[in-house]
Amino acid sequence: MLGAYFRKMKGNTQSPPRVSLSEIAWSWLGAFLGIGFISFANYHIFEKIDLLMIVGSFGASAVLIYGAIKSPLAQPRNLIGGHLFSAVAGVASYQVFHSYIWLAAAVGVATAIAVMHATRTLHPPGGATALIAVIGGEKIHTLGFMYAVFPVGGGVLIMLIIALLVNNIPKNRRYPEFWL
């Protein structure tokens, strides 16, 4: 019984093949434009009025929506729903358990995963969005539930628009696979 348990850790298939240079180039362009646009807006527009436009979990979302566009985890439903539900879970967890940051972090991320599963919006960067709501510092904490609207909702919407524009330029790429 213990041997069967450890044999599962060997894996049972091979890693996927390398993608083409064209695929790499289009993924790079999408990520550059998506993150570049949000970063530029954050540092040249929103920072001057003491607002945020970017959070760390957007980097992981860029990997999915520009680099793994056929993944069910990269589709618009997952991108938007995953981030929004996770942001709310993280903020709620911080507001209830802020005296125990370790507990707020664990409850926030675990709740975000549960809600994403229940709503069919699983998007791995959502876990980071929930965690950032807890450990992100005073600037994030003062936003309260507005964190879910801005920077999270606004940033995700911009990244989605850029993904739709860039991923559908080449003939052999198509995004999204589904909306709802």
Side-chain angles (χ1 to χ4, degrees):
M1 184 166 158
L2 197 56
Y5 173 76
F6 284 112
R7 276 194 297 278
K8 288 181 179 179
M9 297 179 193
K10 291 173 56 179
N12 63 352
T13 186
Q14 296 180 345
S15 63
R18 183 184 316 242
V19 299
S20 69
L21 285 177
S22 170
E23 190 71 16
I24 293 170
W26 284 108
S27 298
W28 186 91
L29 180 64
F32 175 81
L33 292 174
I35 296 297
F37 186 88
I38 291 172
S39 293
F40 183 86
N42 183 72
Y43 294 110
H44 293 281
I45 299 169
F46 293 100
E47 194 172 73
K48 292 175 183 170
I49 53 175
D50 206 27
L51 286 176
L52 290 172
M53 181 66 187
I54 192 166
V55 291
S57 56
F58 289 172
S61 288
V63 172
L64 288 168
I65 67 171
Y66 306 118
I69 63 174
K70 293 193 178 300
S71 168
L73 305 175
Q75 302 309 308
R77 174 190 177 93
N78 300 70
L79 173 70
I80 295 169
H83 275 291
L84 294 183
F85 288 132
S86 296
V88 170
V91 171
S93 181
Y94 176 77
Q95 290 188 354
V96 172
F97 301 110
H98 65 271
S99 296
Y100 305 95
I101 291 296
W102 71 268
L103 181 61
V107 169
V109 173
T111 303
I113 293 170
V115 171
M116 287 189 288
H117 269 307
T119 58
R120 298 182 303 124
T121 59
L122 192 65
H123 184 70
T129 297
L131 188 58
I132 290 166
V134 175
I135 65 169
E138 193 61 32
K139 201 168 187 176
I140 295 287
H141 295 154
T142 55
L143 291 173
F145 286 101
M146 279 303 294
Y147 169 72
V149 177
F150 205 87
V152 173
V156 164
L157 185 61
I158 290 169
M159 289 180 65
L160 175 60
I161 290 168
I162 291 173
L164 292 169
L165 294 173
V166 172
N167 288 334
N168 289 304
I169 293 173
K171 287 183 178 179
N172 61 345
R173 280 174 71 110
R174 180 183 184 153
Y175 180 81
E177 294 293 311
F178 60 87
W179 280 93
L180 300 175

